[in-house]
Amino acid sequence: MKNILGIAVLSLVMAAPASAKQSLHISYPPTNHKTTSDKIFLIGTAPPTGQVLVNGKAIVRSKKGHFAPSFRLKPGENLLTVRYQNQEVKIKVTRTSTKPTPPKGLGFAKDSLTPTVDIARLPGELICFGAIAPENGDVSVMLGGQTIPLMEQPQVVQLPANSAALTEQNQPYAIAGAGQYLGCAAAAAAADLGHPQFQLTMNPKTANPGLPIPLPQKPLQVTQKPAENDKPKPTTTKTPASTTQTGPGKVQILNPANLEVASVIVDAGVARTGPSTDYSRLTPLPKGTQATVTGREGEWVRLDYGGWINSQEVQIVKGAVPPRTFIRSIRARQVPGATEVIFPLQVPVPLVVQQGDRALRLTLYNTTAQTDIIRLDPDPVISRLDWEQVMPGMVQYTFNLKQAQQWGYTVRYEGTSLVLSLRHPPRLSSASSSKPLSGIKILLDPGHGGKESGAAGPTGYAEKDANLYVSKLIANQLIARGATVYLTRETDKELSLPQRTALIDAVKPAIALSIHYNSLPDDGDPQNTKGFGTFWYHPQAQDLAVFLHNHIVQEGGRPSYGVFWNNLALARPASAPSVLLELGFMSNPEEFEWITNPSEQQRMAQAIANGITQWFKATR
């Protein structure tokens, strides 16, 4: 087994699960826990003899005494008292609401006015505003001399977190509007419009009767002639009460004739579909990429091809004009282990890479083709290169590939020329049946480490220790089959996600596997959720993920948790097929007993090594 610095010696000692003299142990949740879930589970252990009671009721436990029951939560504070014999642990769980809460008085709910940050848009683009205020009010926004009415929403459809897919509870759900007001408008010309002014008016005829709003009274003169012997009775009417509040974010409308140009200053700029890390990732932009800035939102800038990028990853190019380029001849060259295709451009432009079946598509933006010549000699991976001007300013190149399996790609700019590198298939050094993986480099990443302990089992045994232990077992099995194995860590040390992915890019293994054990979000059911799962991101890793999953389930006899496309850092490297494996659930009492059984982990390591060997054989 190798690391980046040289040869490492295996140390195969399984860390003992945490145990203390105090026999009752709760590893999750912490003593004061907050969640938006409507339920929570307890993970813990106690000696198998006797009963464990939660709020006076006995719970089900595994043979060794581990438990993971779930409990419904009411809104607000919930107290769970866990008892074993004369030992007691109290845990407070606070369920917070995701439902917007309107204020009780005349005014807007705290931090409810949107946009919350400064924004910039092009003329003609919709700019939307939102507020939470008392129900049945009149809410509007004054901006640039225009009044924009905000309409009260009868209901709001919410989406659960992405993690809800892991518990099969990812359906949208509607809640009452609860005083949510929304409205949009567009500006026709460039201007600095400043901060929007939100106005709330409560009409006494429609206001919430329980709303403590002081309403001034104004007397009205009666003009109708009173009936005989009737005395005129003065009447009063209530005038609406109103309040105004300045929005936190300023609004600017950009001048299309005077837009800034941004250049990416990091090796791989993280482009997204929207202005926050909540939005999906696009193909990373190589260092040097230039694009026109067409919008801003807080610390995010929108580039002209549609992607958003954090402003810290770009710098403004002074005096630059909107980047546009022609492209003419294209050529390919072979370097050790890869084919490099060079696209000569006048300026580095944004791009998107998409993998398909026996194809890889590269789209260049702000580009117009003048191509007459492409040189592509007989190549180990490319059978043909096609191109098409799919629309003005967008050229798409389709690499038709000789094999279904792709082995990794990278993109970079050398000056203004784009270099796309397509990796060649790995070469086996020999056909020896005893060393079927000779010549194959494999990187194993034991997940977590150091302060990042990952999930914890019922005894408190940390995932990071189980990951390292089984990774070394897998490495031993692979080395015995002739593979050259690299570990991202060999001890209990902390490594950042960027450090781990950088090691994959540096080593350029045939495949990379990140080794983990699983747990669940608060709304999961750990008592009944177990099994082996695989996670992939790039299509080049999907076949490996499915193959290993099926092999472990069918031949290894493990339960199936499933195969997932997932935006995980250790599945994202494009330089090699990269898969994240979740071998089992730390949170499941019975499966935790399997995780802490050294002979069972040895069997798992052997099954994974066998699956990898068979997959490489199938891809020849």
Side-chain angles (χ1 to χ4, degrees):
M1 176 175 55
K2 294 182 178 180
N3 62 15
I4 302 304
L5 300 178
I7 304 297
V9 179
L10 277 176
S11 174
L12 289 176
V13 179
M14 188 171 196
S19 61
K21 292 183 179 180
Q22 181 179 0
S23 54
L24 176 63
H25 177 81
I26 306 296
S27 62
Y28 188 84
T31 304
N32 291 290
H33 181 63
K34 293 184 178 181
T35 181
T36 59
S37 173
D38 62 354
K39 63 180 180 178
I40 193 69
F41 52 78
L42 298 178
I43 300 177
T45 191
T49 57
Q51 288 186 326
V52 172
L53 306 177
V54 179
N55 291 349
K57 295 183 179 180
I59 59 174
V60 176
R61 298 196 288 155
S62 70
K63 292 181 179 179
K64 291 190 175 182
H66 309 321
F67 52 83
S70 296
F71 301 92
R72 288 290 175 185
L73 298 174
K74 69 180 190 302
E77 292 186 0
N78 298 261
L79 183 64
L80 299 174
T81 301
V82 187
R83 289 190 59 85
Y84 175 74
Q85 295 180 354
N86 63 342
Q87 300 171 30
E88 181 179 273
V89 176
K90 292 181 180 284
I91 299 172
K92 184 174 72 174
V93 180
T94 303
R95 177 186 168 189
T96 60
S97 175
T98 59
K99 182 179 179 180
T101 304
K104 295 182 179 180
L106 178 66
F108 296 100
K110 183 181 178 181
D111 300 327
S112 71
L113 304 184
T114 60
T116 60
V117 294
D118 295 350
I119 67 171
R121 296 291 189 270
L122 293 172
E125 281 193 80
L126 280 181
I127 300 173
C128 293
F129 305 89
I132 296 176
E135 297 181 58
N136 302 316
D138 291 326
V139 179
S140 61
V141 169
M142 286 290 297
L143 185 67
Q146 182 180 358
T147 300
I148 305 158
L150 305 190
M151 307 303 294
E152 186 174 5
Q153 305 302 298
Q155 69 175 21
V156 177
V157 176
Q158 292 192 340
L159 295 176
N162 271 295
S163 60
L166 303 175
T167 57
E168 299 181 357
Q169 300 179 41
N170 63 329
Q171 292 302 304
Y173 57 95
I175 60 175
Q180 219 173 44
Y181 295 79
L182 299 173
C184 302
D192 287 328
L193 300 178
H195 291 272
Q197 300 296 313
F198 288 77
Q199 181 168 340
L200 164 66
T201 301
M202 296 303 301
N203 190 315
K205 292 183 179 180
T206 59
N208 187 331
L211 205 62
I213 301 177
L215 298 176
Q217 298 181 354
K218 181 180 179 179
L220 292 178
Q221 297 296 326
V222 177
T223 57
Q224 182 181 359
K225 184 178 179 180
E228 190 174 348
N229 298 326
D230 281 351
K231 294 182 179 180
K233 297 180 180 180
T235 60
T236 61
T237 184
K238 297 180 179 180
T239 59
S242 65
T243 185
T244 301
Q245 185 174 330
T246 301
K250 292 188 296 184
V251 178
Q252 180 186 12
I253 307 301
L254 300 173
N255 183 351
N258 190 29
L259 297 176
E260 295 178 315
V261 173
S263 177
V264 176
I265 58 175
V266 295
D267 288 337
V270 180
R272 295 184 179 273
T273 57
S276 82
T277 55
D278 291 335
Y279 289 89
S280 301
R281 287 175 175 250
L282 302 172
T283 301
L285 298 176
K287 187 175 184 178
T289 300
Q290 293 187 15
T292 304
V293 175
T294 62
R296 289 183 178 271
E297 188 157 333
E299 61 180 3
W300 294 80
V301 297
R302 184 181 62 190
L303 305 180
D304 54 18
Y305 81 113
W308 290 80
I309 190 169
N310 193 288
S311 59
Q312 295 181 355
E313 297 190 351
V314 296
Q315 67 179 10
I316 300 303
V317 182
K318 294 183 179 180
V321 297
R324 298 290 185 271
T325 184
F326 296 112
I327 184 167
R328 294 176 181 169
S329 63
I330 299 168
R331 66 183 178 92
R333 66 190 179 200
Q334 291 188 29
V335 299
T339 296
E340 294 188 338
V341 185
I342 298 93
F343 300 83
L345 304 170
Q346 296 164 294
V347 63
V349 294
L351 58 88
V352 167
V353 176
Q354 296 170 297
Q355 290 180 317
D357 294 337
R358 291 185 178 271
L360 182 142
R361 293 178 179 84
L362 168 70
T363 302
L364 297 180
Y365 294 86
N366 302 329
T367 303
T368 302
Q370 294 181 340
T371 301
D372 284 337
I373 297 177
I374 296 176
R375 177 171 180 173
L376 181 62
D377 295 330
D379 188 81
V381 292
I382 306 171
S383 62
R384 190 178 72 249
L385 171 58
D386 300 328
W387 70 269
E388 179 184 4
Q389 185 88 43
V390 293
M391 62 185 299
M394 184 186 300
V395 184
Q396 187 175 87
Y397 299 89
T398 301
F399 291 85
N400 301 281
L401 306 176
K402 292 181 177 179
Q403 288 188 332
Q405 178 59 46
Q406 298 179 47
W407 294 96
Y409 72 87
T410 60
V411 287
R412 70 182 188 274
Y413 275 109
E414 292 183 352
T416 61
S417 292
L418 176 67
V419 180
L420 169 67
S421 179
L422 301 177
R423 292 186 59 190
H424 295 169
R427 294 183 179 181
L428 299 177
S429 297
S430 69
S432 169
S433 59
S434 62
K435 302 287 185 181
L437 297 179
S438 293
I440 299 295
K441 291 194 299 184
I442 298 174
L443 183 140
L444 299 178
D445 169 56
H448 306 289
K451 296 179 181 179
E452 296 293 331
S453 59
T459 65
Y461 180 47
E463 179 197 348
K464 65 176 182 177
D465 297 324
N467 294 342
L468 183 59
Y469 178 79
V470 79
S471 293
K472 290 182 176 181
L473 292 176
I474 297 169
N476 266 349
Q477 293 284 338
L478 294 173
I479 290 170
R481 292 161 173 76
T484 302
V485 179
Y486 296 78
L487 287 178
T488 58
R489 68 180 179 96
E490 299 160 20
T491 60
D492 182 19
K493 71 175 185 179
E494 191 166 346
L495 278 178
S496 68
L497 296 178
Q499 286 175 317
R500 295 171 192 262
T501 57
L503 290 175
I504 295 175
D505 293 337
V507 171
K508 292 183 174 59
I511 61 172
L513 301 178
S514 188
I515 307 300
H516 289 257
Y517 288 88
N518 218 336
S519 192
L520 288 169
D522 286 345
D523 60 350
D525 180 8
Q527 192 79 45
N528 298 302
T529 304
K530 63 175 67 174
F532 181 85
T534 57
F535 297 76
W536 61 276
Y537 182 75
H538 293 289
Q540 65 189 10
Q542 188 259 355
D543 186 73
L544 174 60
V546 172
F547 191 97
L548 287 178
H549 175 268
N550 292 341
H551 177 83
I552 298 302
V553 170
Q554 295 170 9
E555 298 187 31
R558 296 303 303 163
S560 169
Y561 180 56
V563 180
F564 299 82
W565 178 91
N566 203 332
N567 176 25
L568 296 171
L570 270 299
R572 284 199 300 265
S575 58
S578 303
V579 173
L580 187 141
L581 306 181
E582 297 278 7
L583 308 189
F585 279 82
M586 302 287 288
S587 51
N588 182 280
E590 294 181 356
E591 199 153 62
F592 180 71
E593 295 181 8
W594 168 82
I595 291 170
T596 52
N597 184 325
S599 62
E600 290 296 333
Q601 293 310 291
Q602 181 66 54
R603 287 181 56 194
M604 170 58 79
Q606 184 173 352
I608 291 174
N610 287 341
I612 292 171
T613 303
Q614 291 182 26
W615 182 77
F616 273 104
K617 183 179 179 180
T619 58
R620 290 181 183 175

